[in-house]
Amino acid sequence: MAHDTTKLAVLIDADNARPAIVEGLLAEIAKYGTAHVKRIYGDWTKPDLNGWKEVLLRHSIQPIQQFRYTVGKNATDSAMIIDAMDLLYAERFDGFCIVSSDSDFTRLASRIRESGRIVYGFGEKKTPEPFRTACDKFIYTEVLAGSTTATAEAAPKQRSAKELRSDTHLLNLLRGAIEAASDDTGWAGLGAIGSIVNKQSPDFDSRNYGYGKLSGLIKGIGLFDTEERQIGNGKHLYVRPRVPKK
Protein backbone atom coordinates (compact mmCIF):
# COMPACT_ATOMS: atom_id res chain seq x y z
CA MET A 1 0.00 0.00 0.00
CA ALA A 2 1.35 3.44 -0.90
CA HIS A 3 2.36 5.49 2.12
CA ASP A 4 0.36 8.52 1.03
CA THR A 5 -2.87 6.48 1.10
CA THR A 6 -2.16 4.69 4.38
CA LYS A 7 -4.53 6.03 7.03
CA LEU A 8 -3.08 6.13 10.54
CA ALA A 9 -4.48 6.84 13.99
CA VAL A 10 -1.96 8.44 16.36
CA LEU A 11 -2.58 7.94 20.08
CA ILE A 12 -0.20 9.58 22.58
CA ASP A 13 0.12 8.85 26.30
CA ALA A 14 0.94 12.28 27.73
CA ASP A 15 2.22 10.76 30.97
CA ASN A 16 4.87 8.80 29.07
CA ALA A 17 5.96 11.20 26.32
CA ARG A 18 7.58 14.63 26.11
CA PRO A 19 6.48 17.68 24.10
CA ALA A 20 10.01 18.00 22.64
CA ILE A 21 9.57 14.85 20.53
CA VAL A 22 6.35 15.83 18.74
CA GLU A 23 7.86 17.56 15.72
CA GLY A 24 10.20 14.67 15.01
CA LEU A 25 7.47 12.17 15.85
CA LEU A 26 5.03 13.52 13.28
CA ALA A 27 7.78 13.74 10.66
CA GLU A 28 8.59 10.07 11.29
CA ILE A 29 4.92 9.06 11.13
CA ALA A 30 4.61 10.84 7.76
CA LYS A 31 7.05 8.24 6.35
CA TYR A 32 4.49 5.51 6.98
CA GLY A 33 1.22 7.22 6.14
CA THR A 34 -1.14 10.10 6.87
CA ALA A 35 -2.29 10.79 10.43
CA HIS A 36 -6.06 11.12 10.10
CA VAL A 37 -6.54 11.10 13.88
CA LYS A 38 -4.12 12.67 16.39
CA ARG A 39 -5.15 12.36 20.03
CA ILE A 40 -3.26 12.73 23.28
CA TYR A 41 -4.52 11.45 26.63
CA GLY A 42 -3.86 12.79 30.11
CA ASP A 43 -5.23 14.62 33.12
CA TRP A 44 -4.87 18.17 31.84
CA THR A 45 -5.65 19.60 35.29
CA LYS A 46 -2.18 18.45 36.39
CA PRO A 47 0.44 21.23 36.22
CA ASP A 48 3.17 18.89 34.90
CA LEU A 49 1.31 18.66 31.56
CA ASN A 50 1.24 22.43 31.01
CA GLY A 51 4.17 22.26 28.57
CA TRP A 52 1.99 20.45 26.03
CA LYS A 53 -0.43 23.30 25.27
CA GLU A 54 1.55 25.18 22.61
CA VAL A 55 2.69 21.95 20.92
CA LEU A 56 -0.88 20.61 20.67
CA LEU A 57 -2.19 23.82 19.12
CA ARG A 58 0.66 24.01 16.61
CA HIS A 59 0.21 20.44 15.39
CA SER A 60 -3.59 20.11 15.72
CA ILE A 61 -3.43 17.28 18.25
CA GLN A 62 -6.69 16.75 20.13
CA PRO A 63 -6.27 16.55 23.92
CA ILE A 64 -8.53 14.02 25.64
CA GLN A 65 -9.22 14.77 29.30
CA GLN A 66 -9.09 11.82 31.67
CA PHE A 67 -9.30 12.45 35.41
CA ARG A 68 -7.36 10.15 37.70
CA TYR A 69 -10.01 8.44 39.80
CA THR A 70 -7.75 6.90 42.44
CA VAL A 71 -4.08 7.17 43.34
CA GLY A 72 -1.91 4.52 41.73
CA LYS A 73 -4.38 3.63 38.97
CA ASN A 74 -3.75 4.91 35.46
CA ALA A 75 -7.14 5.87 34.02
CA THR A 76 -5.35 7.48 31.07
CA ASP A 77 -4.20 4.09 29.78
CA SER A 78 -7.71 2.68 29.99
CA ALA A 79 -9.22 5.61 28.09
CA MET A 80 -6.58 5.34 25.38
CA ILE A 81 -7.12 1.58 25.00
CA ILE A 82 -10.91 1.97 24.78
CA ASP A 83 -10.59 4.68 22.12
CA ALA A 84 -8.11 2.56 20.16
CA MET A 85 -10.54 -0.36 20.08
CA ASP A 86 -13.39 1.92 18.97
CA LEU A 87 -11.22 3.21 16.12
CA LEU A 88 -10.21 -0.34 15.22
CA TYR A 89 -13.81 -1.54 15.02
CA ALA A 90 -14.70 1.46 12.84
CA GLU A 91 -12.41 -0.12 10.20
CA ARG A 92 -11.32 3.27 8.87
CA PHE A 93 -7.61 2.92 9.57
CA ASP A 94 -4.78 0.89 8.09
CA GLY A 95 -2.50 1.30 11.09
CA PHE A 96 -2.03 2.72 14.56
CA CYS A 97 0.80 4.70 16.13
CA ILE A 98 1.00 4.17 19.89
CA VAL A 99 3.25 6.66 21.64
CA SER A 100 4.21 5.52 25.13
CA SER A 101 7.00 3.87 27.10
CA ASP A 102 4.45 1.90 29.15
CA SER A 103 4.15 -1.88 28.88
CA ASP A 104 0.40 -1.60 29.61
CA PHE A 105 -0.16 -1.22 25.85
CA THR A 106 1.40 -4.59 24.98
CA ARG A 107 -1.91 -6.43 24.68
CA LEU A 108 -3.45 -3.55 22.73
CA ALA A 109 -0.66 -3.70 20.14
CA SER A 110 -1.06 -7.47 19.83
CA ARG A 111 -4.85 -7.19 19.46
CA ILE A 112 -4.59 -4.57 16.71
CA ARG A 113 -2.10 -6.74 14.80
CA GLU A 114 -4.42 -9.73 15.14
CA SER A 115 -6.98 -7.66 13.23
CA GLY A 116 -4.57 -7.24 10.32
CA ARG A 117 -3.62 -3.65 11.07
CA ILE A 118 -0.03 -2.48 11.36
CA VAL A 119 1.23 -1.07 14.68
CA TYR A 120 4.04 1.46 15.02
CA GLY A 121 5.26 1.95 18.57
CA PHE A 122 7.17 4.98 19.79
CA GLY A 123 8.84 5.20 23.19
CA GLU A 124 12.04 5.79 25.11
CA LYS A 125 14.78 3.18 25.39
CA LYS A 126 13.44 2.27 28.84
CA THR A 127 10.31 0.84 27.17
CA PRO A 128 9.85 -2.80 28.29
CA GLU A 129 10.65 -5.44 25.67
CA PRO A 130 7.14 -7.01 25.59
CA PHE A 131 5.61 -3.79 24.23
CA ARG A 132 8.46 -3.23 21.76
CA THR A 133 8.19 -6.71 20.28
CA ALA A 134 4.37 -6.58 20.17
CA CYS A 135 4.62 -3.83 17.53
CA ASP A 136 5.37 -4.32 13.83
CA LYS A 137 7.99 -1.61 14.19
CA PHE A 138 9.19 0.23 17.30
CA ILE A 139 11.05 3.53 17.08
CA TYR A 140 12.97 4.97 20.01
CA THR A 141 12.05 8.59 20.55
CA GLU A 142 15.68 9.42 21.30
CA VAL A 143 16.47 9.14 17.58
CA LEU A 144 13.74 11.53 16.48
CA ALA A 145 15.07 14.91 15.43
CA GLY A 146 13.54 17.45 17.79
CA SER A 147 13.60 21.22 17.83
CA THR A 148 15.29 21.50 21.20
CA THR A 149 18.93 21.25 22.23
CA ALA A 150 18.01 18.71 24.93
CA THR A 151 16.54 16.34 22.35
CA ALA A 152 19.53 16.73 20.04
CA GLU A 153 21.91 15.94 22.90
CA ALA A 154 19.98 12.76 23.68
CA ALA A 155 20.37 11.45 20.12
CA PRO A 156 22.70 8.44 19.80
CA LYS A 157 26.26 9.26 18.75
CA GLN A 158 27.68 7.54 15.69
CA ARG A 159 29.52 4.36 16.65
CA SER A 160 32.93 3.56 15.23
CA ALA A 161 33.66 0.51 13.08
CA LYS A 162 35.40 -1.09 16.06
CA GLU A 163 32.37 -0.59 18.29
CA LEU A 164 30.01 -1.93 15.65
CA ARG A 165 32.14 -5.02 15.03
CA SER A 166 32.13 -5.83 18.74
CA ASP A 167 28.30 -5.87 18.77
CA THR A 168 27.67 -9.59 18.28
CA HIS A 169 23.89 -9.23 18.24
CA LEU A 170 24.02 -6.61 15.47
CA LEU A 171 26.42 -8.62 13.30
CA ASN A 172 24.43 -11.84 13.70
CA LEU A 173 21.22 -10.01 12.84
CA LEU A 174 22.65 -8.50 9.66
CA ARG A 175 24.50 -11.63 8.55
CA GLY A 176 21.40 -13.74 9.05
CA ALA A 177 19.26 -11.31 7.06
CA ILE A 178 21.81 -11.10 4.21
CA GLU A 179 22.01 -14.88 4.03
CA ALA A 180 18.22 -15.21 3.99
CA ALA A 181 17.80 -12.58 1.27
CA SER A 182 20.79 -13.49 -0.90
CA ASP A 183 20.70 -14.99 -4.38
CA ASP A 184 22.94 -17.75 -5.71
CA THR A 185 25.86 -15.33 -5.99
CA GLY A 186 25.62 -14.28 -2.35
CA TRP A 187 24.32 -10.76 -3.03
CA ALA A 188 21.20 -9.47 -1.24
CA GLY A 189 19.14 -6.34 -1.92
CA LEU A 190 19.19 -3.73 0.84
CA GLY A 191 15.39 -3.48 0.90
CA ALA A 192 14.99 -7.21 1.50
CA ILE A 193 17.66 -7.12 4.20
CA GLY A 194 15.88 -4.29 6.01
CA SER A 195 12.55 -6.08 5.83
CA ILE A 196 13.93 -9.29 7.34
CA VAL A 197 15.81 -7.44 10.08
CA ASN A 198 12.69 -5.50 11.05
CA LYS A 199 10.59 -8.67 11.28
CA GLN A 200 13.16 -10.31 13.52
CA SER A 201 13.79 -7.23 15.65
CA PRO A 202 10.98 -4.62 15.55
CA ASP A 203 13.04 -2.07 17.50
CA PHE A 204 16.00 -2.22 15.12
CA ASP A 205 16.86 1.18 13.70
CA SER A 206 20.15 2.24 12.15
CA ARG A 207 19.72 5.60 13.92
CA ASN A 208 20.20 3.81 17.25
CA TYR A 209 23.81 3.41 16.15
CA GLY A 210 24.15 6.98 14.91
CA TYR A 211 23.56 6.24 11.20
CA GLY A 212 20.71 7.85 9.30
CA LYS A 213 20.19 4.88 6.98
CA LEU A 214 20.79 1.15 6.98
CA SER A 215 23.17 1.53 4.03
CA GLY A 216 25.37 3.85 6.07
CA LEU A 217 25.41 1.46 9.01
CA ILE A 218 26.38 -1.51 6.83
CA LYS A 219 29.17 0.49 5.17
CA GLY A 220 30.27 1.77 8.58
CA ILE A 221 30.82 -1.75 9.90
CA GLY A 222 33.32 -2.42 7.11
CA LEU A 223 32.73 -6.17 6.94
CA PHE A 224 30.44 -6.21 3.90
CA ASP A 225 30.89 -5.54 0.20
CA THR A 226 28.33 -3.20 -1.38
CA GLU A 227 27.39 -2.71 -5.00
CA GLU A 228 25.02 -0.20 -6.55
CA ARG A 229 22.96 -1.49 -9.46
CA GLN A 230 20.79 0.33 -11.95
CA ILE A 231 17.41 -1.39 -12.06
CA GLY A 232 14.78 0.28 -14.19
CA ASN A 233 14.80 4.00 -13.42
CA GLY A 234 16.36 3.67 -9.98
CA LYS A 235 19.56 2.62 -8.28
CA HIS A 236 19.51 -0.17 -5.72
CA LEU A 237 22.18 -1.19 -3.24
CA TYR A 238 23.21 -4.84 -2.92
CA VAL A 239 25.22 -6.30 -0.05
CA ARG A 240 27.21 -9.47 0.63
CA PRO A 241 29.72 -10.58 3.27
CA ARG A 242 33.17 -9.30 2.36
CA VAL A 243 35.15 -11.78 0.31
CA PRO A 244 38.74 -12.05 1.61
CA LYS A 245 41.30 -10.78 -0.90
CA LYS A 246 43.73 -13.40 -2.15
Side-chain angles (χ1 to χ4, degrees):
M1 182 178 294
H3 292 164
D4 57 352
T5 61
T6 301
K7 298 178 180 178
L8 300 175
V10 181
L11 308 177
I12 305 171
D13 175 10
D15 294 325
N16 280 283
R18 297 180 298 117
I21 71 164
V22 171
E23 190 171 337
L25 170 72
L26 295 179
E28 181 74 15
I29 289 172
K31 297 178 182 178
Y32 309 114
T34 302
H36 283 244
V37 164
K38 292 180 288 185
R39 298 178 185 174
I40 184 167
Y41 299 76
D43 184 352
W44 302 102
T45 63
K46 293 166 56 181
D48 54 338
L49 295 184
N50 289 343
W52 280 100
K53 182 178 179 181
E54 183 180 344
V55 174
L56 303 187
L57 291 173
R58 188 188 318 138
H59 296 286
S60 299
I61 302 173
Q62 180 185 5
I64 306 296
Q65 170 62 31
Q66 182 59 55
F67 291 105
R68 181 172 295 180
Y69 300 120
T70 58
V71 177
K73 298 293 184 182
N74 198 336
T76 298
D77 289 2
S78 299
M80 190 165 152
I81 290 169
I82 291 170
D83 265 16
M85 295 309 295
D86 285 343
L87 293 170
L88 176 65
Y89 292 143
E91 298 186 345
R92 294 170 41 218
F93 300 94
D94 304 302
F96 288 74
C97 301
I98 303 174
V99 186
S100 178
S101 302
D102 194 335
S103 62
D104 288 351
F105 296 106
T106 302
R107 182 67 187 106
L108 173 63
S110 298
R111 178 64 184 84
I112 293 173
R113 290 182 69 188
E114 287 171 5
S115 296
R117 303 296 191 273
I118 194 167
V119 178
Y120 299 102
F122 297 83
E124 297 178 359
K125 288 190 175 179
K126 66 180 182 180
T127 305
E129 184 178 11
F131 177 42
R132 301 199 313 265
T133 55
C135 301
D136 289 283
K137 184 171 181 61
F138 191 90
I139 298 98
Y140 292 119
T141 53
E142 285 88 347
V143 306
L144 301 178
S147 57
T148 67
T149 303
T151 305
E153 290 176 350
K157 300 296 187 293
Q158 189 174 92
R159 296 191 192 179
S160 66
K162 182 179 180 181
E163 291 172 319
L164 294 173
R165 292 177 186 183
S166 66
D167 190 329
T168 305
H169 173 71
L170 171 64
L171 293 182
N172 288 340
L173 189 65
L174 291 175
R175 283 171 174 155
I178 292 170
E179 182 178 356
S182 63
D183 57 21
D184 293 338
T185 65
W187 289 96
L190 185 67
I193 295 170
S195 179
I196 293 171
V197 166
N198 187 65
K199 288 176 182 176
Q200 293 180 343
S201 182
D203 62 350
F204 175 84
D205 194 322
S206 59
R207 292 171 296 183
N208 296 334
Y209 303 91
Y211 291 82
K213 295 182 178 181
L214 178 58
S215 58
L217 174 62
I218 287 176
K219 291 176 181 178
I221 294 173
L223 295 176
F224 304 98
D225 289 328
T226 60
E227 179 179 279
E228 200 171 68
R229 301 179 184 176
Q230 184 75 35
I231 301 177
N233 295 324
K235 292 183 178 180
H236 299 264
L237 191 71
Y238 280 75
V239 182
R240 72 177 179 185
R242 178 155 294 170
V243 178
K245 294 181 179 180
K246 297 181 181 179

